[in-house]
Amino acid sequence: MLQKKICMVGAFATGKTSLVGRFVHSIFSEKYQTTVGVKIDKKTVNIQGQDINFILWDLYGEDEFQKVRMSYLRGASGYLLVVDGTRKNTLEKAFNLQIKVENTIGTVPFILILNKWDLTDEWEINDVEINEVVQRGWIVMKTSAKTGLGVEESFQILANKILENHR
């Protein structure tokens, strides 16, 4: 069985832990939990008839006080770059983090996640900005860890990209 390390990367409080909880355990908690260091989970998925054991590394969010420890990224086959759609500054943070990740581990598949889609009335990122990201050639997914929207699909798409890279 293939085993692949996937990292959850993004600013603090973008929903990385909630996305993992929704994907691995099909649960969502309203209670905010700060990730200290790294939290590791795993889930086996079947992609293109092949079982893949995902080792999910949920890295603590980057803010002004803490910088993501780039050593946590070593060995990653791909990552989800998570943005909180209700906080525009998390998109800028994601652009900076993507460059840092690429400088650290090279080019590996990733998907930009626009999380908290269930809060569209509070949304700060507009379609023009989303289209600019798509113009970069990035895959962009709208998700909601709360409702489950797009979560499973995001991991499936990333898994397919990783398998394409693996061949």
Side-chain angles (χ1 to χ4, degrees), residues 11-105:
F12 72 97
T14 54
K16 297 177 296 295
T17 301
S18 295
L19 286 165
V20 171
R22 170 63 69 185
F23 178 63
V24 175
H25 307 290
S26 301
I27 57 169
F28 175 80
S29 171
E30 291 284 351
K31 199 169 133 236
Y32 178 70
Q33 292 184 321
T34 302
T35 301
V36 179
V38 66
K39 185 174 176 283
I40 301 172
D41 255 304
K42 58 172 129 184
K43 180 173 179 173
T44 303
V45 292
N46 189 290
I47 305 289
Q48 302 169 12
Q50 182 168 13
D51 281 341
I52 301 174
N53 196 18
F54 273 162
I55 310 299
L56 301 162
W57 285 53
D58 176 8
L59 309 184
Y60 58 85
E62 181 169 293
D63 63 23
E64 353 11 293
F65 309 109
Q66 284 191 308
K67 299 287 182 222
V68 170
R69 303 248 320 250
M70 290 297 144
S71 59
Y72 286 149
L73 295 162
R74 279 197 208 107
S77 298
Y79 60 101
L80 294 180
L81 192 54
V82 185
V83 171
D84 174 350
T86 68
R87 293 176 17 238
K88 191 176 184 168
N89 67 324
T90 64
L91 182 60
E92 274 310 309
K93 184 74 75 178
F95 293 147
N96 295 333
L97 280 169
Q98 191 274 333
I99 293 165
K100 287 182 187 173
V101 171
E102 205 160 276
N103 288 340
T104 304
I105 61 172

